[in-house]
Amino acid sequence: MTEWRTVAGTIAEGYRVASGLTDSTPYPEGTLAMQLPYFLERGFDLRPYFLGTLNVAIAPHQYQLVNPPITLEQVPWTAAHAPETFSFAHCRLTWQGRTDDGWIYYPHPETKPMHFQHPDRVEVLMPQIAGIQYGDRVQLAVPTDEVHID
């Protein structure tokens, strides 16, 4: 049986590049929309999820993927830079009594040198959740065999 660890978090503003909702992005359609066909080719389907990430701040905790069930190596999703590696781990997000299953979205920093992600920020892929906004308190649950939270 899978053991889950739950931590409290807050929805925080990210770079808004995954969704394409920032004016300063070189990817106006959003990086996830661009990555979707490459992930699909490799057997990982993003279509059930909103094509943007929710950033969950879990400070004072930090997280580390220890055994992600999905890793897509060297994905050449854009000509703008070298291919990237992405890992995904299961997660559940609870907000206002509603719980959704999703994925932690982890672009490997060693293949994405221009992107900095705070170690206490977890980027998650979820179905669209109407009404959720920055500052909302949530519960984030992760399987302990896939993700370590300290």
Side-chain angles (χ1 to χ4, degrees):
M1 173 166 276
T2 301
E3 183 179 331
W4 291 76
R5 165 96 193 271
T6 302
V7 293
T10 304
I11 300 297
E13 187 169 358
Y15 295 108
R16 299 174 57 128
V17 175
S19 62
L21 294 176
T22 183
D23 293 335
S24 62
T25 182
Y27 315 107
E29 65 273 37
T31 58
L32 284 171
M34 295 173 67
Q35 293 163 359
L36 185 147
Y38 295 94
F39 293 174
L40 196 54
E41 276 179 4
R42 295 169 183 230
F44 185 63
D45 189 357
L46 292 180
R47 291 176 296 188
Y49 306 100
F50 176 73
L51 292 180
T53 58
L54 286 175
N55 287 266
V56 182
I58 60 169
H61 302 286
Q62 295 184 6
Y63 81 103
Q64 178 182 13
L65 298 187
V66 292
N67 189 28
I70 298 171
T71 297
L72 307 176
E73 301 275 352
Q74 299 297 305
V75 179
W77 66 272
T78 178
H81 53 73
E84 295 179 64
T85 297
F86 300 87
S87 287
F88 302 88
H90 293 96
C91 65
R92 292 180 181 147
L93 187 81
T94 301
W95 173 71
Q96 294 188 347
R98 169 186 171 165
T99 299
D100 288 286
D101 290 327
W103 294 93
I104 292 174
Y105 170 81
Y106 184 77
H108 285 237
E110 66 274 15
T111 64
K112 193 177 186 94
M114 298 179 341
H115 177 76
F116 173 75
Q117 186 72 356
H118 297 276
D120 66 347
R121 297 274 172 96
V122 186
E123 282 188 276
V124 299
L125 298 167
M126 290 286 150
Q128 187 152 6
I129 303 172
I132 198 166
Q133 56 190 346
Y134 302 135
D136 284 353
R137 299 289 293 162
V138 297
Q139 296 290 315
L140 180 69
V142 297
T144 58
D145 61 337
E146 296 179 19
V147 182
H148 176 75
I149 294 179
D150 63 4

